Amino acid sequence: MMERYRALGIKLTPQRLAILKCLEGNETHPSAEDIYREVRKAFPTMSFATVYNTLEVLRAKGGVNALSIDPDRMRYDPDTSSHHHLICTACKRVVDVRARIETELSEDETQGFELTGSHVEFYGLCPKCRDRE
């Protein structure tokens, strides 16, 4: 774990290591608030600003992806590989989709943009929420 973040040039303080440990292998796409609640168990005096600033450093250096898929809060994905997401419209659960989805835009559709990537979001009800209805 540490080698990946050292390679990004991130200073590894004990607080940052706790944040990185919380992110490592985390598939829940946590918000900064979720991470803050978790790491405060080990570091009760840690500030929310420390968590947020660490996430911003990671995002800027490519260590996490910031997802704006939840209108209430930014979510973070430590899996920076190319993938897509399923999002429950009721409980906001986010699930990774590994399927290869080809999208091709015509020159007119790109409107002069130089494309650097794409991301597809699927919305619906997860099994738990669907069963509740």
Side-chain angles (χ1 to χ4, degrees):
M1 170 180 81
M2 286 192 275
E3 289 307 313
R4 173 183 172 203
Y5 298 109
R6 273 198 191 110
L8 294 174
I10 296 170
K11 184 178 176 186
L12 298 176
T13 65
Q15 291 85 357
R16 282 187 172 178
L17 287 171
I19 294 165
L20 296 173
K21 183 178 178 188
C22 181
L23 284 169
E24 193 66 28
N26 190 327
E27 295 182 352
T28 66
H29 306 82
S31 67
E33 293 88 355
D34 296 330
I35 296 166
Y36 175 64
R37 278 193 297 275
E38 184 64 31
V39 296
R40 281 204 58 210
K41 294 173 187 173
F43 292 91
T45 60
M46 185 183 298
S47 70
F48 178 75
T50 299
V51 173
Y52 181 78
N53 291 337
T54 298
L55 290 169
E56 282 304 299
V57 167
L58 286 169
R59 184 197 55 74
K61 294 186 178 263
V64 296
N65 288 328
L67 306 174
S68 57
I69 56 180
D70 184 339
D72 299 324
R73 58 197 178 150
M74 186 69 67
R75 307 277 290 266
Y76 294 89
D77 191 347
D79 181 354
T80 58
S81 68
S82 178
H83 64 282
H84 310 287
H85 294 100
L86 289 166
I87 304 151
C88 180
T89 55
C91 70
K92 307 292 190 236
R93 179 177 168 217
V94 181
V95 178
D96 292 337
V97 175
R98 301 280 173 207
R100 187 176 184 100
I101 300 168
E102 295 294 329
T103 55
E104 192 170 316
L105 300 178
S106 70
E107 194 171 317
D108 286 342
E109 291 170 317
T110 62
Q111 300 178 45
F113 277 67
E114 181 181 329
L115 300 181
T116 58
S118 66
H119 175 251
V120 177
E121 299 170 2
F122 298 93
Y123 296 90
L125 292 174
C126 71
K128 283 184 182 180
C129 292
R130 193 179 62 239
D131 289 346
R132 275 186 241 156
E133 290 193 354

